[in-house]
Amino acid sequence: TWGEVSGLMHVEMSLKELFDAGLFREAFDRISEKLEEAFGDEDKIRRLLQRCQALLKLNQCSSAIADANQIIRLNPMEYRGYQKRGEALCLSQNPSAALTEFQKAADLCTAQNITDETLSGQMTRCRDSLTTRPPLCGSPIPLSIPNHLEVSSSQNSSSSPTSSPPVENVL
């Protein structure tokens, strides 16, 4: 069946190919399996960074923060742990806290003589988002409209409670 063939294709795809194809759940599952086999802190950190990225793509901010916290516990000098935590905080609409994390990452980069253009762009977008909502930080991902924003039949008699609201009602 197609499901079996599709599943086999996912097994043969590299992690990069899974990300490129937008198969973030499959990437998350694969990384989680490999994380259990990780050897040493550096390997764990590498896998946690990958899994954190998959979680961010899935808009799972609290889980991404938990993985970032684990990275920081394993190596407090790993700037990417703070960077990922900042991305997750920004995506969860907490740009002030995100900026603090991005600054910690930037300070570590400076101390270690590391240049990360992505980090500087994230800091700029996050600063900008303090005055313009919604936050502009993190990776661009399609977000579904939360159920609580749907127009109920009492608000709009032409819509059923399960239909998507018109765009102008959401903005």
Side-chain angles (χ1 to χ4, degrees):
T1 67
W2 170 247
E4 292 169 347
V5 171
S6 172
L8 289 174
M9 288 186 338
H10 292 169
V11 169
E12 294 176 13
M13 293 174 80
S14 73
L15 194 54
K16 181 183 181 332
E17 290 170 327
L18 289 172
F19 271 96
D20 289 347
L23 299 170
F24 306 122
R25 183 69 197 169
E26 290 80 356
F28 170 83
D29 291 341
R30 169 114 29 102
I31 296 162
S32 294
E33 288 171 16
K34 296 289 184 185
L35 186 58
E36 293 175 16
E37 304 165 2
F39 183 75
D41 287 351
E42 289 306 310
D43 194 30
K44 283 180 187 173
I45 289 169
R46 184 172 59 83
R47 305 247 185 237
L48 285 166
L49 285 165
Q50 293 170 335
R51 189 167 76 174
C52 198
Q53 186 61 34
L55 288 164
L56 289 168
K57 294 287 190 180
L58 292 166
N59 205 28
Q60 299 294 316
C61 296
S62 8
S63 296
I65 290 170
D67 276 4
N69 289 341
Q70 195 171 350
I71 292 164
I72 294 165
R73 273 193 301 276
L74 289 168
N75 182 358
M77 299 302 290
E78 176 55 70
Y79 80 93
R80 294 173 297 179
Y82 300 96
Q83 183 180 21
K84 291 297 180 193
R85 190 159 64 185
E87 283 183 66
L89 287 166
C90 208
L91 283 172
S92 60
Q93 300 189 13
N94 192 345
S96 296
L99 252 170
T100 301
E101 296 306 312
F102 287 142
Q103 188 59 57
K104 289 176 189 175
D107 292 344
L108 285 171
C109 283
T110 301
Q112 298 171 29
N113 202 22
I114 297 170
T115 302
D116 187 325
E117 295 300 322
T118 303
L119 177 59
S120 101
Q122 289 169 320
M123 289 181 74
T124 300
R125 287 188 302 275
C126 203
R127 265 190 216 105
D128 292 348
S129 75
L130 288 170
T131 57
T132 60
R133 297 274 193 253
L136 303 173
C137 298
S139 304
I141 57 172
L143 298 175
S144 61
I145 299 170
N147 290 337
H148 69 279
L149 293 178
E150 289 186 359
V151 178
S152 70
S153 56
S154 64
Q155 292 173 311
N156 183 347
S157 58
S158 64
S159 292
S160 70
T162 59
S163 69
S164 296
V167 173
E168 64 272 8
N169 288 347
V170 176
L171 301 176

